């Protein structure tokens, strides 16, 4: 079931998505980077990650990866990777298809490119349309690209494990426009940390079969169902909402409204949730801060009460200043 269709049926469509202009601009930049058999891309990669291998001299292999369906394309990609590694030369795989098991089910992934080095090393290439200004790009966007590339690295490692002489590099090549031009430049991003985090997260995911087995009998996610029935079906799978979901999940707005209605602290962010320990609702946090609930020996409760006392003190001081200020100078006194 497509989550966008489900969100629309629930009355909370996700009003986001890449603009057509941005999509076309990204495609045009990627085509420029990969033109002439990927000559510019391979040049950038050799400058940053070439090692002791001879430079690609226009004879890099570009295998055909077409096949029927994602499963067929993944198998064709695995074969091309093995053949390129055995050949011992440079090879550029344009939009290969990789498979990774997620919660017991196969997920198919399509990186922008994978380059096979003559020494058998495989490097993931991510091509983004955000600029690199003075050799530096927006940290949040680079971080998102690193997390995305780390998933590709994990998927490649499954193929490398059964390919003689193959090794997946943990440093990926990020290609972006240089400054305010459309000329490509590149930097190397180490994704070992993101890879380790993603690997741990994948091992903790509940299998789809287990989730389905726990659902009430007759549960259906058919968008044609009455809204009340569909809402109950979605509620049977407890969400783990956080503000970060808004950028990636079509159901995020539905989950956010439910989270806010329940007063869950997750709606304020994972960082806030982690700081609040056993306090899981906004009402519980406010009660603990007011001294109505919570164990005073709990460091979180103590910190909340201290913060509440400081806030009350600041408000009282501001009120005294306003009361003693000459007429017309209330704002000035309050600012002091």
């Amino acid at each position: 079931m497509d989550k966008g269709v489900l969100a629309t049926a629930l009355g909370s469509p996700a009003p986001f998505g890449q603009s057509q202009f941005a999509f076309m601009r990204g495609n045009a930049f990627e085509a420029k980077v990969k033109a002439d058999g990927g000559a510019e891309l391979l040049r950038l990669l050799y400058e940053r990650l070439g090692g002791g291998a001879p430079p690609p001299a226009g004879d890099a292999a570009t295998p055909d990866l077409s096949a029927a369906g994602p499963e067929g394309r993944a198998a064709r990609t695995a074969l091309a990777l093995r053949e390129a590694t055995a050949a011992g030369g440079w090879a550029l795989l344009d939009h290969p298809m990789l498979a990774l098991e997620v919660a017991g089910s196969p997920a198919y992934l399509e990186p922008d490119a994978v380059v096979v080095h003559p020494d058998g090393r495989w490097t993931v290439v991510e091509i983004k349309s955000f600029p690199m200004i003075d050799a530096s790009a927006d940290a949040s966007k680079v971080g998102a690209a690193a997390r995305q590339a780390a998933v590709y690295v994990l998927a490649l490692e499954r193929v490398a494990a059964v390919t003689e002489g193959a090794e997946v590099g943990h440093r990926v090549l990020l290609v972006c426009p240089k400054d305010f031009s459309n000329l490509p430049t590149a930097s190397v991003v180490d994704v070992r940390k993101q890879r380790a985090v993603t690997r741990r997260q994948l091992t903790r995911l509940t299998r789809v079969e287990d989730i389905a087995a726990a659902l009430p009998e007759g549960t259906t996610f058919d968008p044609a169902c009455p809204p009340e029935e569909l809402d109950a079906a979605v509620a049977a799978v407890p969400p783990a909402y956080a503000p970060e979901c808004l950028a990636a999940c079509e159901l995020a707005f539905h989950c956010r409204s439910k989270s806010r209605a329940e007063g869950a602290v997750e709606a304020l962010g994972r960082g806030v949730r982690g700081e609040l320990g056993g306090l899981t609702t906004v009402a519980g946090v406010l009660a603990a801060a007011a001294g109505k609930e919570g164990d005073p020996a709990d460091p979180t409760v103590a910190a909340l009460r201290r913060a509440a006392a400081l806030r009350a003190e600041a408000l009282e001081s501001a009120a005294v200043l306003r009361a003693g200020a000459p007429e017309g100078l209330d704002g000035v006194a309050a600012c002091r």
Side-chain angles (χ1 to χ4, degrees):
M1 169 55 61
D2 183 88
K3 288 192 290 185
V5 174
L6 192 58
T8 300
L10 288 166
S12 301
F16 62 85
Q18 191 177 39
S19 71
Q20 191 65 23
F21 173 75
F23 186 74
M24 293 173 61
R25 183 184 61 187
N27 282 348
F29 178 69
E30 182 176 336
K32 181 182 181 70
V33 172
K34 293 179 178 177
D36 299 323
E40 181 65 10
L41 189 157
L42 290 169
R43 182 190 68 80
L44 290 169
L45 184 136
Y46 184 76
E47 287 180 356
R48 275 94 177 154
L49 293 168
D59 56 351
T62 54
D64 180 13
L65 303 179
S66 58
E71 188 174 352
R73 289 185 58 202
R76 181 68 188 90
T77 295
L79 177 60
L81 285 167
R82 287 193 288 269
E83 290 175 344
T85 303
W90 291 96
L92 171 63
L93 279 67
D94 185 8
H95 283 287
M97 183 66 71
L98 307 174
L100 182 67
E101 185 176 296
V102 178
S105 299
Y108 293 99
L109 315 167
E110 189 176 355
D112 292 325
V114 172
V115 174
V116 178
H117 298 238
D119 61 2
R121 185 160 34 106
W122 301 349
T123 297
V124 172
V125 178
E126 271 296 286
I127 302 173
K128 299 297 184 184
S129 59
F130 58 80
M132 247 181 229
I133 301 174
D134 292 334
S136 180
D138 183 276
S140 63
K141 293 180 179 179
V142 173
R147 290 190 293 273
Q148 182 178 352
V151 180
Y152 300 148
V153 168
L154 284 172
L156 276 174
E157 286 178 342
R158 297 184 62 193
V159 184
V162 293
T163 303
E164 184 178 355
E167 177 189 4
V168 182
H170 294 155
R171 296 198 298 164
V172 306
L173 189 75
L174 177 63
V175 181
C176 299
K178 182 179 181 180
D179 298 325
F180 301 100
S181 71
N182 199 37
L183 299 175
T185 187
S187 67
V188 175
V189 181
D190 193 319
V191 299
R192 282 177 293 183
K193 179 180 178 181
Q194 291 84 356
R195 171 192 169 278
V197 170
T198 303
R199 189 166 190 167
R200 286 197 301 271
Q201 290 173 337
L202 289 173
T203 59
R204 296 172 183 172
L205 290 177
T206 305
R207 294 175 63 86
V208 174
E209 294 85 350
D210 297 335
I211 295 174
L215 294 175
E217 187 175 352
T219 298
T220 177
F221 298 98
D222 185 350
C225 290
E228 298 79 9
E229 184 179 337
L230 191 59
D231 187 68
V234 173
V237 184
Y241 172 77
E244 293 88 344
C245 298
L246 293 172
C249 180
E250 291 89 344
L251 279 171
F253 289 88
H254 173 77
C255 295
R256 182 179 67 174
S257 64
K258 293 293 183 182
S259 182
R260 286 177 172 177
E262 296 168 1
V265 296
E266 285 86 353
L268 303 175
R270 291 192 177 98
V272 175
R273 175 68 187 90
E275 293 289 338
L276 292 174
L279 299 172
T280 59
T281 65
V282 174
V285 171
L286 295 175
K292 298 176 181 178
E293 294 180 10
D295 182 1
D298 185 335
T300 301
V301 174
L304 286 169
R305 292 181 180 177
R306 175 61 178 161
L310 290 173
R311 178 178 181 275
E313 183 180 336
L315 291 174
E316 183 180 353
S317 298
V320 170
L321 287 171
R322 283 197 300 270
E327 186 176 352
L329 296 178
D330 290 7
V332 176
C335 288
R336 292 179 181 174

